[in-house]
């Protein structure tokens, strides 16, 4: 990847991947119409779509960072092994949050 400031580009890619917030919970209804689908079903579909989008953003913005040198990846706080580990996680686990948790755990251990 040709970039004048690869650390800044890597940081921007990480921020783009973190932008997608989870969908809001559906409102509690006072009555239930017989033809209306269950709110749990609607929530499950929303969360499945959100997880798919998050993994897509992870693959689009984070995995291309593996083309950079290990020093650039360490500048944004992650290692190549962590990113490859997060890519292997099941879809129900948010890879971006898992990487952030692993980064915080590593910082606590080093302190």
């Amino acid at each position: 990847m040709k970039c004048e400031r690869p650390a800044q580009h890597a940081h921007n890619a990480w921020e783009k991947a973190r932008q997608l917030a989870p969908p809001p919970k559906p409102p509690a209804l006072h009555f239930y119409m017989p033809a209306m689908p269950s709110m749990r079903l609607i929530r499950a579909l929303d969360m499945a779509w959100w997880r798919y989008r998050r993994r897509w953003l992870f693959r689009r913005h984070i995995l291309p960072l593996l083309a950079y040198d290990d020093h650039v990846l360490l500048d944004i706080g992650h290692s190549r092994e962590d990113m490859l580990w997060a890519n292997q996680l099941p879809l129900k686990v948010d890879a971006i949050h898992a990487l952030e948790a692993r980064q915080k755990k590593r910082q606590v251990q080093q302190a």
Side-chain angles (χ1 to χ4, degrees):
M1 300 183 104
K2 295 181 181 179
C3 185
E4 295 173 8
R5 296 176 6 190
Q8 183 64 32
H9 180 264
H11 182 69
N12 290 343
W14 183 261
E15 290 302 318
K16 284 180 185 178
R18 292 185 67 226
Q19 287 178 352
L20 188 63
K25 291 186 177 180
L29 300 176
H30 299 291
F31 63 93
Y32 181 77
M33 296 292 293
M36 191 166 73
S38 166
M39 284 297 166
R40 286 185 290 185
L41 174 65
I42 292 172
R43 177 71 176 165
L45 291 173
D46 278 348
M47 289 305 293
W49 176 248
W50 180 75
R51 285 185 195 107
Y52 170 77
R53 290 275 299 151
R54 287 286 284 200
R55 189 53 62 104
W56 179 79
L57 285 172
F58 177 80
R59 287 184 179 139
R60 181 173 180 210
H61 293 292
I62 303 301
L63 288 184
L65 296 179
L66 294 174
Y68 287 125
D69 187 21
D70 288 338
H71 297 292
V72 174
L73 296 177
L74 289 176
D75 285 345
I76 62 170
H78 299 289
S79 67
R80 184 173 309 276
E81 294 81 25
D82 289 346
M83 288 184 181
L84 292 173
W85 167 79
N87 191 38
Q88 299 300 321
L89 291 174
L91 283 178
K92 289 195 173 201
V93 178
D94 186 16
I96 296 171
H97 284 141
L99 273 175
E100 289 173 346
R102 197 166 176 161
Q103 178 186 18
K104 288 179 185 177
K105 184 178 177 182
R106 182 176 291 135
Q107 289 175 350
V108 168
Q109 288 177 351
Q110 290 177 354

